[in-house]
Amino acid sequence: MVQRVVIVVSGPVAGGKSLLARSLAERFGGIRFSTRDLLVPHLAEGQTPTRGTLQRIGAELDERTNGRWVVDGLSRRIFDADEEVVIVDAARIAAQIEGLRQAFGRDVRHVHVTAPRKVCAERYENRRSEAEFEEAASYAAVVADPTEERIDDLGAMADVAVDTERDGPDDVVVRVAAQLGLLDREHASCVDVIVGGSYGSEGKGNIAFHLAPEYDLLLRVGGPNAAHKVYLASGEIFTHFSLPSGTQAGDARLALGPGAVVYPPELLDEIARCDVSSSRLSIDPLVMIIDDADKAREAEKLGGIASTKSGTGFATARRIMRGDDVRLARDVPELHPYVRPTYEILEQAYASRQRIMLEGTQGSGLSLFHGPYPYVTSRDTNVAGCLAEAGIAPSRVRRVVLVVRTYPIRVGGTSGPLTTELTWEEIEERSGLKGLAEKELTSKTQRLRRVGEPEWDLLRRAALLNAPTDIALTFADYLDGRNVEAWRFEQLTDETIRFIEEVERVTGARVSLISTGFMQYRGIIDRRQW
Amino acid sequence: MTAINWTHPSVLRVLEQQGAKDPLEWVETRARDLALQAIEQGWTGPPYDSFKLADALDIEVVARQDLDDARLVAIEGKPRIEFNPQRRPARIRFSLAHEIGHLLFDDYADRTRYRDMDQRRADDWQLEVLCNVAAAELLMPAGALPIGETTDLDLVRLLDLRAKFGVSTEALLRRVIRLTARPACLFAAARTDDGRFRIDYTVRSRAWTPELRSGDVVSAEVLARCTAVGYADHGVEIWDGQELRVQAVGVPPYPGDRFPRVIGLLQPASETVPDDAGLRYVRGDASQPRTDGRAIIAHVVNNRAKRWGGQGFARSLMKRFPAAKDAYADWPAKERRLGALHIAPAADDLWIASLVAQAGYGPSDQPRLRLPALRQCLESLAETATSLRAEVHMPLIGTGQGGTPWPKVRDLILEELSRRHVRVTVHILPNALMPEDADDSAQMALL
């Protein structure tokens, strides 16, 4: 059996039927079937469709088939629709609705939308310019049709009846959807958040890529000052700046939340390289746009600290100043095909019980509020900050995965304190690995990273700020190169297992993911119990 | 027709060795014949199963996870397709068909096409485009598309079909343009640095007359709005002084490009479907075509019989045009092979075309009509009809003793004859049933 709801809409002309049907389809991932499309083939050769002729043809068909033409025409199109919500726009007589009920039984929901005749007449005139076919001379002429005249009789038998007189279009959708039970009212916890627990460069991208196939929706926040590397199945290394790291791990929907900051030329290049379509990616209309001037001013002003100079910080500052120079995603024509409100995407995902992954950027120790100012980034990097930027309520969170490096790093240059700074040679000596100095360049700025001893205090603070349910420990091979050969937890070296136990004691969370090396295939030991 | 400057060695080989003028058309024809052969061997759809096609062609198919999609390799001189089984079914179907497309290039084994950076050529995309076109032919064989000649060319609806057949937008529209009787033109364009669009190539439907040259640069707001793959838009615009209905959709960009390519359809802003385009159905007897001009009566014959058969349509031709019957009987047997065409004068301004497209005769559990042969016959017939400036009349060929569903035959007629502006009239005997094909309003009108 297919889990499907067939919503049939009725109501007077200009009562708001089609707008409702289209909005329901859009917001709840449904499909709209138009009964008008069934009438068009019945037009005589060369006859143009007008309001009057279509009304007449409909009435003739009603007469001839006792309203069955609607269900007969639609059932052969509905049966193989992939969508769970099917909207029939619109029924005009009771027999048509009866036919649908006979065919689809309890899955039919009849919605009647109406408004006082005066209001309908006004709307009718207002939308005349965008009519899809020739409309009648006046609303009075429309209502003269005998079927149209009795249309409000259908209100009595409807499952849901709404008077739209005082509502805006979105209000009608919410009212109807609520009564149809399409809205998620459970507020179930279905969002898993991935955040960094060090000073960035924890390998969040790879962990996100590993988990991504389990999700239906991947969200990213933050700006292109963070680069997330992933290792594709083909062995290629790909760096993401704005899109979620799981983009190429499957075909989940993608979204950039309203708090995100983007630089359109680079974003569009990334979209092109990942072969992402407009139906898959949504960019919130309120996403902040970095202008070239932001980059230039950062290069000049932020000279004192090691910043990526991506313009993210300055753009964020301008956004807060609300000057008239602010451009948001909705103001960029090139982004138009992707622009959709994140809350609508989230609502759809909640309603259909989908799993959602939110990918944060940078690390806990780089938070604007909780890191060692001024060696910080322009936002809060912890779980609460990421949720705020995405527009996700805290109670929606199911798992918080804190990604932690064995040896924390800082970007090269004046990037703030490390408790005990080490050299890459020392790490090579301890682990037996080679060539780390060549490998440990930052993704965004290609500078050599600084490295230090594990910072337990930083880890504890990250645990307090994020209350993780899971720790993903990365760079286990830096503790001991032999870990590269470990495929199971018990194959890790004893010293590594002791290290993991200590991480668990300090954070109060289980280390359920361990990354053992750069290799793309089986490079992560996964001991999750979820 | 094509503004693509073909540089890829495999493509150049085709141009040189096969005498092809347009690689796109060449690959289309080759793939179409391959599909028709497979259909004769019982291959069915939609969706058409690419695995069975590979089996029919004796290609080994191996699953492996470390591929992006699929690739064609040669193992000890034999073709093998390797594919990632974790992709979506439609994607796998397409990828397999795409790799089978690579097989049409006889130098496929010279280079392992893999995402191996140091082996990649900047113009590899040309080969990929051609194989996408081939894949579409394999996934939408003749008769597969539910598109009639007068179907409204609404891009959004056509894109729904695309999902059903699992083919690229570009390939689907190329096919639609060849089937439609409406004046329409397919164009493919790429964004230039100044935000205008360079026309890469155009394909005209048979009723389309305006000239739009590839290489032209146009400013078009509709195209400019298509900044994402899969985003479709439409509007009425003035191009080159002509008012057109422009529909466009973004498709994956050329490698290294920031913006998608844009493909779409142009139609006259006020469109009337010309009634003399393409296929007409009439109730009547094809052996007595009513026409003021020159006419060719076409019928299908088998490759075994020395003379036209003693029943059905051939019998009425025999009675009416004995001279043409004798001319056929004098035709040397060795020339009477599948795919050959025999033209015999029958009367003033009237010829009989015998299409050798049926293998043998008598009862058979397989259709005796050979679609690849029929396609070849129709192609020759188009040439003859064009040079004689004659229209073609025929019964429902291939559906009787040939035993083939009409839509398959009809699509071949549309693509081989109608597209070349040869006017075709199909005669259905007054007491016969219409062929099963409710899509054509022209036919419905006859019911």
Side-chain angles (χ1 to χ4, degrees), chain A residues 393-513:
Chain A
S395 58
R396 289 277 182 189
V397 174
R398 193 182 67 123
R399 316 289 308 191
V400 175
V401 181
L402 189 69
V403 187
V404 178
R405 272 187 87 113
T406 47
Y407 293 102
I409 63 96
R410 279 188 169 282
V411 298
T414 328
S415 52
L418 283 163
T419 312
T420 311
E421 192 146 353
L422 296 169
T423 65
W424 289 112
E425 288 70 30
E426 285 170 294
I427 307 265
E428 285 179 2
E429 205 168 308
R430 292 183 194 184
S431 64
L433 295 174
K434 295 273 178 295
L436 294 187
E438 288 79 70
K439 208 163 63 173
E440 280 289 357
L441 302 171
T442 48
S443 310
K444 180 80 190 180
T445 48
Q446 295 297 307
R447 301 169 69 168
L448 185 64
R449 297 175 171 133
R450 299 161 52 210
V451 63
E453 291 285 10
E455 295 188 14
W456 301 100
D457 181 45
L458 170 74
L459 182 63
R460 179 61 197 159
R461 291 195 45 177
L464 282 171
L465 287 163
N466 295 290
T469 59
D470 296 80
I471 305 292
L473 183 70
T474 54
F475 299 92
D477 51 330
Y478 286 17
L479 291 175
D480 191 324
R482 287 173 298 172
N483 287 334
V484 173
E485 300 295 316
W487 308 114
R488 301 189 300 278
F489 181 72
E490 70 270 20
Q491 292 175 322
L492 293 163
T493 64
D494 290 350
E495 191 198 355
T496 307
I497 289 178
R498 274 198 296 279
F499 187 91
I500 287 172
E501 279 183 343
E502 193 155 8
V503 169
E504 290 181 340
R505 259 198 303 280
V506 169
T507 58
R510 180 181 158 93
V511 175
S512 57
L513 293 153

Side-chain angles (χ1 to χ4, degrees), chain B residues 235-269:
Chain B
V236 172
E237 296 194 337
I238 309 275
W239 284 26
D240 204 18
Q242 302 181 70
E243 196 181 32
L244 301 172
R245 173 190 180 200
V246 181
Q247 303 183 84
V249 60
V251 296
Y254 288 129
D257 275 10
R258 173 170 301 165
F259 287 104
R261 298 163 59 222
V262 176
I263 66 167
L265 297 172
L266 303 173
Q267 287 166 279

Side-chain angles (χ1 to χ4, degrees), chain B residues 40-362:
Chain B
E40 290 193 333
Q41 289 161 11
W43 190 48
T44 56
Y48 283 84
D49 182 342
S50 310
F51 288 92
K52 290 207 173 87
L53 180 61
D55 292 346
L57 299 169
D58 201 19
I59 305 170
E60 193 187 5
V61 180
V62 176
R64 45 186 294 180
Q65 64 83 36
D66 59 346
L67 296 175
D68 226 24
D69 268 318
R71 64 174 177 177
L72 178 71
V73 293
I75 305 290
E76 292 165 6
K78 281 199 61 183
R80 171 200 281 178
I81 292 173
E82 298 175 337
F83 77 104
N84 185 333
Q86 299 288 62
R87 292 285 178 194
R88 283 180 175 258
R91 178 100 177 232
I92 290 176
R93 267 198 292 274
F94 181 81
S95 296
L96 257 57
H98 174 103
E99 298 308 322
I100 291 170
H102 276 285
L103 205 59
L104 298 172
F105 296 84
D106 55 10
D107 59 349
Y108 79 90
D110 295 354
R111 22 191 316 279
T112 294
R113 296 175 326 87
Y114 188 44
R115 304 190 52 155
D116 194 355
M117 291 297 174
D118 45 344
Q119 284 197 36
R120 277 158 105 173
R121 295 177 49 99
D123 56 6
D124 271 348
W125 62 267
Q126 299 180 356
L127 200 52
E128 300 307 305
V129 164
L130 292 174
C131 292
N132 284 348
V133 168
E137 283 297 328
L138 298 174
L139 295 165
M140 305 182 290
L145 272 194
I147 298 267
E149 289 186 89
T150 55
T151 306
D152 182 37
L153 301 181
D154 177 64
L155 190 58
V156 174
R157 294 202 178 181
L158 293 172
L159 293 176
D160 287 345
L161 274 182
R162 177 187 165 251
K164 182 175 167 189
F165 284 87
V167 296
S168 73
T169 307
E170 194 159 5
L172 179 89
L173 293 183
R174 285 177 69 89
R175 171 63 67 88
V176 167
I177 277 291
R178 292 207 305 268
L179 292 177
T180 187
R182 293 170 177 269
C185 174
L186 162 70
F187 67 90
R191 189 183 278 250
T192 59
D193 292 340
D194 62 1
R196 295 191 301 160
F197 287 83
R198 185 191 67 245
I199 304 291
D200 281 342
Y201 69 81
T202 59
V203 185
R204 299 192 241 175
S205 79
R206 55 188 179 264
W208 175 266
T209 45
E211 187 64 47
L212 177 71
R213 281 177 307 278
S214 40
D216 283 1
V217 174
V218 296
S219 326
E221 279 180 28
V222 172
L223 275 54
R225 290 198 292 265
C226 297
T227 54
V229 173
Y231 181 84
D233 210 327
H234 60 92
V236 172
E237 296 194 337
I238 309 275
W239 284 26
D240 204 18
Q242 302 181 70
E243 196 181 32
L244 301 172
R245 173 190 180 200
V246 181
Q247 303 183 84
V249 60
V251 296
Y254 288 129
D257 275 10
R258 173 170 301 165
F259 287 104
R261 298 163 59 222
V262 176
I263 66 167
L265 297 172
L266 303 173
Q267 287 166 279
S270 55
E271 188 211 14
T272 49
V273 183
D275 63 345
D276 63 341
L279 220 50
R280 284 193 315 145
Y281 294 93
V282 296
R283 288 282 185 187
D285 178 352
S287 67
Q288 305 176 63
R290 279 165 300 183
T291 168
D292 302 336
R294 300 171 153 195
I296 300 173
I297 300 174
H299 70 137
V300 167
V301 295
N302 72 63
N303 61 342
R304 296 257 313 281
K306 193 168 158 41
R307 299 167 195 289
W308 292 346
Q311 54 179 329
F313 184 71
R315 188 183 171 87
S316 50
L317 281 185
M318 232 164 64
K319 280 195 192 143
R320 210 173 288 276
F321 308 109
K325 175 198 70 171
D326 295 339
Y328 185 82
D330 294 342
W331 199 27
K334 65 178 191 320
E335 291 187 24
R336 201 176 58 227
R337 63 191 190 286
L338 283 170
L341 177 74
H342 182 267
I343 302 278
D348 283 348
D349 289 342
L350 186 68
W351 292 262
I352 307 280
S354 303
L355 285 53
V356 188
Q358 185 179 318
Y361 53 87

Side-chain angles (χ1 to χ4, degrees), chain A residues 19-35:
Chain A
L19 186 60
L20 172 68
R22 286 201 172 89
S23 311
L24 282 173
E26 206 169 305
R27 275 180 73 163
F28 299 96
I31 181 165
R32 167 182 170 265
F33 287 115
S34 151
T35 49

